[in-house]
Amino acid sequence: MGLRERKKAETRAALSWAAVRLTVERGLDNVKVEDIADAVGVSPRTFNNYFSSKAEAIVFRHLDRCMGVAEALRERSAEPLWDAITHAVLTRFGPDAQSAAHPVADAAQWTAGVRVMVAEPALRGEMLRAGAIAEAEIAAAVAERTGGDLDHDLYPHLVASAVMAAVNTAIAHHLRTDPPVPVDRLLTDALAHIAAGLSTP
Amino acid sequence: MGLRERKKAETRAALSWAAVRLTVERGLDNVKVEDIADAVGVSPRTFNNYFSSKAEAIVFRHLDRCMGVAEALRERSAEPLWDAITHAVLTRFGPDAQSAAHPVADAAQWTAGVRVMVAEPALRGEMLRAGAIAEAEIAAAVAERTGGDLDHDLYPHLVASAVMAAVNTAIAHHLRTDPPVPVDRLLTDALAHIAAGLSTP
DNA sequence: CGCAAAGATGCGGGGCGCGCATGTTTCTTG
DNA sequence: CAAGAAACATGCGCGCCCCGCATCTTTGCG
């Protein structure tokens, strides 16, 4: 990767992070595109060269992690399918992967802000869309394993969307509970239920 | 329901239908809010009294059907859970439920337009959000049956999101295939797989 | 009938997303 | 290494969208 692409990736990540931070701190509609651009030191016009909307910028990190699941899945072609899926999800959504990058001062206040943020209607839609985009990749990765055909078989798509459903549900439950239930346990449980069948509670 | 509420529901339905029809015919960004309002005979400002965005208007019918699944589920408390779920989904997303209301002249051209419409990024997010809203209702309906607790149990939420995942996947596959596979068969298959477990393709 | 509540409309403003033209930095090639 | 090509950053301006507010009209009720 040349200098060009690296700088671009850095700017994109910086914009996304600034968008998230400001939104968590002030709330979505108290953050203007201009604010995000200023925080990174770029022109407002440039912001829209990287992201086609505020929501897309905020959700970028989530999209990245979802795509990472597909990537991790391809790297684990030796294990049985659902072991690989569980492991892939945990590496990207596990507790350590979350706060690795940017530490925050007041953890409680941060979580409260995150709760407000993910409740925002516009962002919910965008988050789900990010999951749907990654779903296509995951379905492709599953099809590679099982030898299925993406155009004719339902199974790969069904697995992908069920996995994302489990992830979304686990995260939602994690954010809903207070004190929070460990997210890795929720993810493992949810995926196990999906794999084994939901007919038996 | 008084005259007032009926008229309001009619206007809302008319706005939503006009939004869908125009979008299918011309494409999303060739339809202005003014066009939709004009088609119904209402002021543009009034449009935004009913829907807070163009996307929300277009997706309204989808939201309605998704909520209907929860409703149908509550009415079938006698059957086993997954029989009731399958039946509830089929009554709302089955082939007859689709074209019942507004007949269309050129079916092929219509389907082509629908394919373009559902590919629209902004609408995909809004559609998924509608499913997520209904998910809460479905989870509540499931919890009523199984005696689960929405705040502490993962199971009702997991069932709800897995059901919506199955529905979305089935519809997506229905729109992807040409000639189209019957949607009721896809729905039944997808739900059966979810209920029985995905570990065994 | 007459009044209170709810809805419809007009107006205006703050943003937002993007096309276009222009200047600037990075990559490639002779 | 110089110079052109390609990619990127920025400024400007437009059209549209969504909403708050004030006003007018319709509906429901006693």
Side-chain angles (χ1 to χ4, degrees):
Chain A
M1 183 188 293
L3 193 155
R4 213 185 189 95
E5 294 180 43
R6 175 176 16 261
K7 284 217 93 172
K8 214 181 159 183
E10 279 171 18
T11 305
R12 172 174 275 111
L15 283 171
S16 172
W17 169 247
V20 169
R21 185 178 56 82
L22 291 174
T23 304
V24 168
E25 285 172 4
R26 310 183 199 166
L28 182 60
D29 24 270
N30 297 326
V31 178
K32 287 178 286 192
V33 168
E34 191 184 346
D35 301 333
I36 304 170
D38 284 353
V40 178
V42 273
S43 109
R45 183 64 185 84
T46 298
F47 174 87
N48 277 88
N49 288 343
Y50 283 88
F51 299 107
S52 62
S53 78
K54 234 186 338 180
E56 195 177 304
I58 293 171
V59 172
F60 172 69
R61 321 185 88 239
H62 181 64
L63 172 61
D64 205 45
R65 289 209 285 180
C66 292
M67 296 293 275
V69 172
E71 189 189 342
L73 197 51
R74 285 192 224 263
E75 290 168 0
R76 305 193 144 257
S77 50
E79 301 171 66
L81 177 62
W82 285 92
D83 291 355
I85 288 176
T86 305
H87 205 106
V89 167
L90 285 179
T91 59
R92 307 290 166 155
F93 287 93
D96 45 330
Q98 304 220 49
S99 51
H102 301 269
V104 302
D106 190 336
Q109 192 177 348
W110 178 262
T111 335
V114 170
R115 269 196 259 258
V116 174
M117 182 175 72
V118 299
E120 206 77 36
L123 296 183
R124 287 195 62 83
E126 198 69 21
M127 278 192 76
L128 294 166
R129 195 171 75 88
I133 292 172
E135 230 176 83
E137 290 295 312
I138 296 173
V142 171
E144 283 175 20
R145 284 172 168 270
T146 63
D149 182 338
L150 284 176
D151 287 336
H152 296 93
D153 298 341
L154 200 57
Y155 182 76
H157 298 282
L158 200 52
V159 168
S161 74
V163 166
M164 286 310 303
V167 170
N168 288 334
T169 305
I171 293 178
H173 195 268
H174 176 70
L175 286 172
R176 184 168 42 234
T177 52
D178 188 43
V181 182
V183 72
D184 51 348
R185 190 168 133 60
L186 291 170
L187 288 167
T188 310
D189 281 5
L191 289 171
H193 276 88
I194 292 289
L198 289 169
S199 54
T200 57
Chain B
M1 180 188 293
L3 191 155
R4 216 184 188 98
E5 295 181 42
R6 176 177 14 263
K7 284 217 93 170
K8 215 181 158 183
E10 279 171 16
T11 305
R12 172 174 276 110
L15 283 171
S16 173
W17 169 246
V20 169
R21 184 177 57 81
L22 291 174
T23 304
V24 169
E25 286 173 3
R26 311 182 199 167
L28 182 60
D29 22 275
N30 297 326
V31 178
K32 286 177 287 193
V33 167
E34 191 185 345
D35 300 334
I36 303 170
D38 284 353
V40 178
V42 172
S43 115
R45 182 64 184 85
T46 298
F47 174 87
N48 278 91
N49 288 344
Y50 283 88
F51 298 107
S52 62
S53 78
K54 232 185 342 177
E56 195 177 306
I58 293 171
V59 172
F60 172 70
R61 320 186 90 239
H62 181 66
L63 172 62
D64 203 46
R65 288 208 285 181
C66 292
M67 297 293 276
V69 172
E71 190 189 341
L73 196 53
R74 285 192 224 263
E75 291 168 359
R76 306 193 143 258
S77 48
E79 300 172 66
L81 177 62
W82 285 94
D83 291 355
I85 288 176
T86 305
H87 203 107
V89 167
L90 285 180
T91 58
R92 306 290 165 155
F93 287 92
D96 44 330
Q98 305 220 50
S99 51
H102 300 270
V104 46
D106 189 337
Q109 191 175 348
W110 179 262
T111 337
V114 170
R115 269 196 259 258
V116 174
M117 181 174 72
V118 299
E120 207 77 37
L123 296 184
R124 287 196 63 82
E126 198 69 21
M127 276 193 77
L128 293 166
R129 194 170 77 88
I133 293 171
E135 230 176 81
E137 289 295 313
I138 296 173
V142 171
E144 283 177 18
R145 284 172 168 269
T146 63
D149 183 338
L150 283 177
D151 285 335
H152 297 93
D153 298 340
L154 199 58
Y155 183 76
H157 298 281
L158 201 52
V159 168
S161 72
V163 167
M164 285 310 303
V167 171
N168 288 334
T169 305
I171 293 178
H173 196 268
H174 176 69
L175 286 173
R176 186 169 40 235
T177 50
D178 187 45
V181 181
V183 72
D184 52 347
R185 188 166 137 59
L186 290 170
L187 288 167
T188 310
D189 279 6
L191 289 171
H193 275 88
I194 292 290
L198 290 169
S199 53
T200 56

